Amino acid sequence: MSRLIVVEGVDGTGKSTQIELLKEVTENAIIFKYPTSKYKTLNDYLEKKAHVDSKALFLLFLADIADDQQNVKKALDQGKTVILDRYVFSTLAYEVDGISHNEGKKIIESVGYLKPDLVILLDISAEESQRRKKKQKELDRYEENINYLEKVRSNFAKLCEERFLTTNWHMIDANRDIRTIHSDIMSAIK
Ligand code: ADP
Ligand code: MG
């Protein structure tokens, strides 16, 4: 049975960690991750090599995801469990400058992105998120600003409350050990 599962949350919540664990125990699973590295302007922006207008940025993130929808659709048609490491919810939660929350949602709805069967939202404080990321690498343009990360976190929580694109949202406390979180994710999926 094909399924579209989205894993969301601010940087350092453990998305990649949990997705790897999920993939191990899921038959016929495939992972897609966003943003991809296909869009040069987007990459340059993320690497702080370029300034991009905030509305353009919103659309670039969405274009990058839209560009990949046929691949996602194909995997679903083949009966796979598709796991997305970030999706349009991240675009809404992060790119808040150029476009309002409600207008952003309308744009996404009118493009007609594939609707997930389930969204797993991993939630931790911005402080903990930064602490974890700092151990891994240098902080990127988003990760270095704690107030901004808290704002992103609350934008995700709002999307969860609104049940945007699916009623099947699960907010999971990611400030626990990896195995406990994994078992919560497995219960949510069943
Ligand atoms: P994301 O993909 O959401 O940015 P990662 O899975 O890359 O997060 O995890 C970020 C860092 O935090 C990694 O070093 C990872 O080993 C660590 N980590 C992941 N989950 C937990 C957890 N539950 N508790 C403590 N550290 C964690
Ligand atoms: Mg990751």
Side-chain angles (χ1 to χ4, degrees), residues 144-170:
E144 63 195 13
N145 184 337
I146 196 132
N147 295 329
Y148 178 56
L149 283 184
E150 271 304 339
K151 176 74 184 150
V152 173
R153 181 192 186 196
S154 75
N155 288 337
F156 274 129
K158 193 167 170 192
L159 290 165
C160 174
E161 268 168 38
E162 293 168 341
R163 301 282 180 257
F164 184 53
L165 297 189
T166 173
T167 53
N168 204 5
W169 276 77
H170 299 262

Side-chain angles (χ1 to χ4, degrees), residues 10-154:
V10 296
D11 312 272
T13 43
K15 296 181 295 301
S16 301
T17 307
Q18 293 299 332
I19 285 171
E20 277 310 312
L21 289 176
L22 182 57
K23 187 168 190 283
E24 276 170 28
V25 296
T26 309
E27 238 177 90
N28 213 2
I30 183 168
I31 301 168
F32 293 88
K33 187 175 188 303
Y34 303 111
T36 69
S37 46
K38 270 198 298 200
Y39 283 46
K40 186 174 182 303
T41 314
L42 202 48
N43 286 338
D44 286 353
Y45 169 79
L46 292 169
E47 289 167 12
K48 302 182 211 173
K49 288 181 196 153
H51 169 80
V52 182
D53 167 80
S54 53
K55 284 188 173 53
L57 206 50
F58 184 86
L59 295 171
L60 276 174
F61 275 103
L62 287 187
D64 181 40
I65 296 170
D67 214 348
D68 212 27
Q69 290 268 286
Q70 282 307 321
N71 297 328
V72 174
K73 173 114 187 2
K74 203 163 129 196
L76 289 170
D77 288 345
Q78 290 167 348
K80 292 188 176 155
T81 295
V82 179
I83 307 170
L84 305 184
D85 188 337
R86 296 192 179 281
Y87 196 40
V88 294
F89 310 106
S90 277
T91 314
L92 282 169
Y94 280 83
E95 302 318 310
V96 284
D97 279 355
I99 213 136
S100 77
H101 183 77
N102 287 333
E103 291 302 322
K105 278 166 62 181
K106 273 194 233 159
I107 291 170
I108 287 167
E109 276 171 334
S110 59
V111 174
Y113 288 91
L114 292 163
K115 292 203 164 99
D117 295 297
L118 182 102
V119 182
I120 302 288
L121 174 58
L122 298 176
D123 183 59
I124 52 171
S125 71
E127 270 157 2
E128 177 61 17
S129 140
Q130 269 190 336
R131 207 180 55 75
R132 286 185 190 175
K133 274 291 152 186
K134 264 185 200 154
K135 278 200 249 168
Q136 266 185 321
K137 61 174 186 65
E138 231 176 83
L139 299 182
D140 72 19
R141 100 144 63 226
Y142 296 108
E143 292 158 354
E144 63 195 13
N145 184 337
I146 196 132
N147 295 329
Y148 178 56
L149 283 184
E150 271 304 339
K151 176 74 184 150
V152 173
R153 181 192 186 196
S154 75

